[in-house]
Amino acid sequence: MATMTNEIAGHIPRMWMRSSSEDDFWRWFCGEAQSVMRNAADIKEGSRLHARLLAALSRAGLPQPPPAFQWKC
């Protein structure tokens, strides 16, 4: 799962630029984050990997998910 998380994190800047809208980007990101959490070995691993994805948003200069998407990712 760490490899998958790293790949998603690496795609964040490109996906932000390629998305047709902010909502489109957040749907992609939240779907990927949900997949990571579903496939994690346990809740602790899921939480750790989710935090890494949120940190990747910050490193890319992007905001955290907006309120409409927070419950999804």
Side-chain angles (χ1 to χ4, degrees):
M1 291 311 307
T3 300
M4 181 180 176
T5 302
N6 290 339
E7 288 181 24
I8 295 166
H11 290 305
I12 287 174
R14 179 178 57 85
M15 290 304 294
W16 178 259
M17 298 300 287
R18 293 183 74 196
S19 295
S20 60
S21 68
E22 285 188 32
D23 283 355
D24 185 44
F25 171 80
W26 291 117
R27 278 190 288 279
W28 169 80
F29 178 82
C30 292
E32 295 295 330
Q34 288 175 355
S35 179
V36 166
M37 294 184 70
R38 263 193 320 273
N39 291 295
D42 54 34
I43 292 173
K44 185 176 178 181
E45 180 189 36
S47 295
R48 183 178 53 81
L49 295 173
H50 186 258
R52 286 175 57 187
L53 288 175
L54 294 178
L57 289 171
S58 294
R59 282 193 304 278
L62 299 175
Q64 296 299 295
F69 288 93
Q70 286 178 353
W71 67 272
K72 297 177 186 175
C73 58

